[in-house]
Amino acid sequence: MVERAGSGAVAAETSVVPGVGKRRRGWVIAGVAVVLGGVLGFHRLVPNWPGRVGSLIESFLPWGGVLIVVLLVVALVRRSAVALVALLLPVGVWVDTFGGLLLPGEEGGGRELVVVQHNVSDENRDPAGTARALADSGADLVALEELVDPQLAAYEKALAADYPHHVVRGTVGLWSTHPLSGEQVVDIKPRSIEEGWSRGLRAVVRSPYGDVAAYVAHLPSVRVGVGGLASQRRDESAALLGRAIAGESVEPVILLGDLNGVVEDRGLRPLTSQLAFAESGFAFSFPAAFPLARIDQVMARSATVGHIRTLPATGSDHLPVVARVALE
């Protein structure tokens, strides 16, 4: 009798514990979902210290959608209603923030320029092939970064037929089907970098629709390490570039460049606060082997950047991006 009572007690205990565990796991999933939704919706409130953690999170915000899918699968496996309800929060925030990028861009109008942005890599072994691929895009403007000798001559030769007008300053260049004027260096060199570093230019494009101020820039690289995101130089350079564009008298303005940051990154606020960026398309451009983020950007003022997309891989570690810019 004692043994039977004991067996019943054990059976009763084991029949209750699993249910309690499932409920607890459901609440854990729900808690993670709420935190994820909060981060997606209020990432600007995440402190940028230590290690610029705010910028680091913002660099990969779109990938929060993958975390949502993982949580959804776990919630379904656990059959947790509370977790499924909680997941509505991050799903709603993600769709509100990034859902528009999934939509096809609007058909182009008459007053527009097709532009290509590409960091061609100073280690590119096929500059001529890269140039031909970019020319095949039919773009009006082609902006290139990491132009170094002897590859520069190959780009100039391969692009000459399709782009009779071009300017190169330092390691950045702009090729155009329309005449250029007012070419000048834009000083975006951080104070801690030695002389000889030149990665910004400005030129006026004499387009059929009027003058357009075009900027090409390559902001300093960022690194992710044990101390977090090292982006001080990038942020300083972005501020200098933003100051130059703020003082630009010609409208519209188009910025093309490897900005080493995504548009959600607060480090690029000096630019994103005054320039519009793509309304549709993710166009993850780096690294080319497995693109995780779009750090190659097309932005504009007094103009609208429509759908942005990547072109096939070249000899670079970046993918080219192409966009249509509708002029106001």
Side-chain angles (χ1 to χ4, degrees):
M1 296 293 292
V2 175
E3 290 180 357
R4 287 196 295 273
S7 300
V10 172
E13 181 180 352
T14 56
S15 66
V16 173
V17 172
V20 173
K22 286 182 179 180
R23 286 195 295 272
R24 288 175 179 173
R25 285 190 291 268
W27 281 105
V28 169
I29 299 169
V32 174
V34 171
V35 171
L36 178 58
V39 171
L40 289 173
F42 301 98
H43 55 90
R44 295 289 184 199
L45 300 181
V46 178
N48 216 21
W49 50 266
R52 282 175 159 73
V53 64
S55 284
L56 182 59
I57 290 173
E58 288 162 348
S59 298
F60 300 99
L61 274 183
W63 292 98
V66 175
L67 297 179
I68 292 173
V69 172
V70 172
L71 290 176
L72 175 61
V73 171
V74 176
L76 291 173
V77 170
R78 299 297 182 187
R79 298 181 182 178
S80 173
V82 66
L84 291 172
V85 171
L87 277 167
L88 294 176
L89 174 62
V91 168
V93 176
W94 192 94
V95 170
D96 180 66
T97 305
F98 301 109
L101 296 178
L102 296 172
L103 301 175
E106 296 182 1
E107 292 295 328
R111 290 173 50 84
E112 69 173 20
L113 297 175
V114 178
V115 301
V116 164
Q117 150 59 28
H118 191 29
N119 179 327
V120 294
S121 175
D122 55 9
E123 298 180 351
N124 194 321
R125 297 183 179 180
D126 186 19
T130 297
R132 287 193 296 270
L134 300 179
D136 288 344
S137 69
D140 299 283
L141 302 177
V142 175
L144 305 181
E145 298 82 43
E146 294 198 12
L147 294 170
V148 295
D149 291 328
Q151 292 98 320
L152 174 58
Y155 289 112
E156 290 178 325
K157 181 179 179 180
L159 292 171
D162 296 289
Y163 299 93
H165 313 282
H166 85 281
V167 55
V168 176
R169 294 291 185 271
T171 58
V172 300
L174 177 67
W175 275 257
S176 173
T177 58
H178 310 299
L180 300 174
S181 65
E183 302 94 335
Q184 64 187 69
V185 170
V186 178
D187 185 8
I188 58 172
K189 183 179 72 67
R191 290 166 294 180
S192 60
I193 294 181
E194 298 179 357
E195 294 296 330
W197 189 96
S198 179
R199 293 187 178 183
L201 71 80
R202 177 259 191 194
V204 175
V205 180
R206 305 293 187 184
S207 84
Y209 319 111
D211 289 353
V212 177
Y215 285 74
V216 181
H218 183 191
L219 302 189
S221 299
V222 300
R223 295 289 184 268
V224 180
V226 293
L229 187 71
S231 64
Q232 296 91 330
R233 287 178 172 179
R234 192 276 314 271
D235 296 350
E236 182 181 350
S237 190
L240 292 171
L241 180 58
R243 194 175 307 159
I245 291 176
E248 177 59 59
S249 59
V250 176
E251 298 288 345
V253 175
I254 299 176
L255 169 61
L256 305 157
D258 174 4
L259 304 186
N260 272 302
V262 301
V263 294
E264 292 81 19
D265 189 334
R266 67 192 68 183
L268 298 186
R269 282 290 293 167
L271 302 171
T272 56
S273 62
Q274 60 176 316
L275 299 171
F277 38 88
E279 297 179 339
S280 67
F282 281 98
F284 292 157
S285 63
F286 183 82
F290 188 78
L292 294 172
R294 186 178 78 238
I295 63 176
D296 296 274
Q297 305 293 353
V298 176
M299 300 183 184
R301 187 174 70 206
S302 298
T304 301
V305 182
H307 184 76
I308 190 169
R309 60 184 176 87
T310 57
L311 295 175
T314 65
S316 172
D317 56 345
H318 292 241
L319 295 177
V321 298
V322 59
R324 294 182 177 272
V325 180
L327 308 178
E328 295 179 359

